[in-house]
Structure formats: structure tokens, C-alpha cells
């Protein structure tokens, strides 16, 4: 899959830095390439639910943003993206030191793009990544 916008990486980074919710959460964009985005989020107690696990809404938020930006890497210049729908499966409690949402485009279209994101949790410096959630999303391209 080839990007239609030669400046896609700069535009993704610029858009991500303008997303207040990512700043609020402390999430960072760690990988930007055509059809693939990785967002990382360090564990913070204020992002947890009553049992100390990362809240499902937070897991969903980083997966949704990763999906949107993965689709955005393949969009033409002067376009924007919005989520049309998504389904998330929470596979196990989100427990760890670092959460990583990796989104990969499955099928890019002119208007709708289908993307999958996996969210993993890692504990410690050399810990294994454990799959905690997976998302399938449909993203729409809005042309200016």
C-alpha cells in the first residue's frame, strides 16, 4: 500500500500532536509508516478502573486513534479521517507498565478503509507483550 500524500508522516505527527486527548492520556506516537501506526501509553494509576487495570475506554481510545492514523497514512492530501464504526474485543485485563496499540490497514478504499489494531501490555523492560484487546474499525476519508 502506497501513500497518496508524500507528506503523510509529517501530517500524521502534526495531527496527533493537536489531539488534546492523547496529550491528556500521556500517549505518544512511536511508529508512523504507510498503512501502520503504533501508539504507546505508559501505565498511570489515574487511567485505571476500580481493580487497577487500564480502563477499557482508555484501551479503546488508543486503538481507535491508531486505526484512524493508519488509514490517514494512505489518504490523499487535504483530507481528514473519522471513525465510522468499530468493534473492540477486550481479551484480558489490561495490566502492565506499557500499552502499545499497533494498527494495520487491511483494505484501503477511496472513501472507507478497514483497519485492525491490537493492543498489547508489557511489564518490565524485557517483559513479553500480552495481547489485551483487538479492534476492527472502519474509517472514512473526508476530502476538503
Amino acid at each position: 500500500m502506497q501513500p497518496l500524500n508524500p507528506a503523510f508522516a509529517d501530517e500524521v505527527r502534526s495531527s496527533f500532536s493537536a489531539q488534546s486527548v492523547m496529550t491528556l492520556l500521556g500517549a505518544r506516537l512511536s511508529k508512523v509508516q504507510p498503512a501502520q501506526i503504533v501508539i504507546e501509553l505508559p501505565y498511570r494509576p489515574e487511567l485505571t478502573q476500580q481493580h487497577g487495570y487500564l480502563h477499557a475506554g482508555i484501551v479503546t481510545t488508543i486503538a481507535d486513534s491508531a486505526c484512524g492514523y493508519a488509514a490517514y497514512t494512505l489518504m490523499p492530501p487535504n483530507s481528514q479521517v473519522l471513525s465510522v464504526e468499530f468493534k473492540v474485543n477486550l481479551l484480558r485485563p489490561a495490566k502492565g507498565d506499557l500499552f502499545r496499540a499497533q494498527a494495520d490497514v487491511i483494505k484501503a478504499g477511496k472513501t472507507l478503509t478497514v483497519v485492525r489494531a491490537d493492543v498489547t501490555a508489557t511489564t518490565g523492560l524485557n517483559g513479553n507483550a500480552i495481547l489485551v484487546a483487538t479492534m476492527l474499525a472502519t474509517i472514512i476519508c473526508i476530502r476538503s
Side-chain angles (χ1 to χ4, degrees):
M1 292 181 226
Q2 296 298 316
L4 300 174
N5 182 353
F8 78 90
D10 290 336
E11 290 190 20
V12 165
R13 287 184 181 94
S14 176
S15 177
F16 186 86
S17 68
Q19 248 197 38
S20 301
V21 71
M22 292 294 115
T23 302
L24 177 69
L25 297 178
R28 61 183 175 263
L29 197 56
S30 66
K31 187 175 186 180
V32 178
Q33 67 182 43
Q36 186 180 75
I37 292 290
V38 176
I39 294 174
E40 293 181 338
L41 176 68
Y43 173 87
R44 290 188 10 233
E46 52 279 27
L47 301 178
T48 63
Q49 43 82 291
Q50 70 276 16
H51 303 293
Y53 303 124
L54 193 68
H55 194 283
I58 304 300
V59 171
T60 301
T61 298
I62 62 172
D64 175 46
S65 283
C67 285
Y69 284 118
Y72 191 49
T73 66
L74 302 177
M75 300 297 171
N78 302 315
S79 60
Q80 299 175 359
V81 295
L82 289 173
S83 297
V84 173
E85 70 79 43
F86 59 73
K87 180 190 186 321
V88 63
N89 290 92
L90 303 165
L91 304 172
R92 59 182 46 88
K95 180 180 178 182
D97 297 325
L98 181 68
F99 299 90
R100 184 177 190 264
Q102 177 175 320
D104 297 282
V105 172
I106 295 171
K107 164 105 176 36
K110 289 182 181 179
T111 303
L112 297 176
T113 297
V114 177
V115 186
R116 176 188 171 163
D118 287 332
V119 180
T120 58
T122 305
T123 302
L125 292 176
N126 296 320
N128 291 331
I130 305 295
L131 186 63
V132 297
T134 190
M135 175 181 281
L136 186 63
T138 304
I139 309 296
I140 192 167
C141 176
I142 300 170
R143 292 178 170 82
S144 300

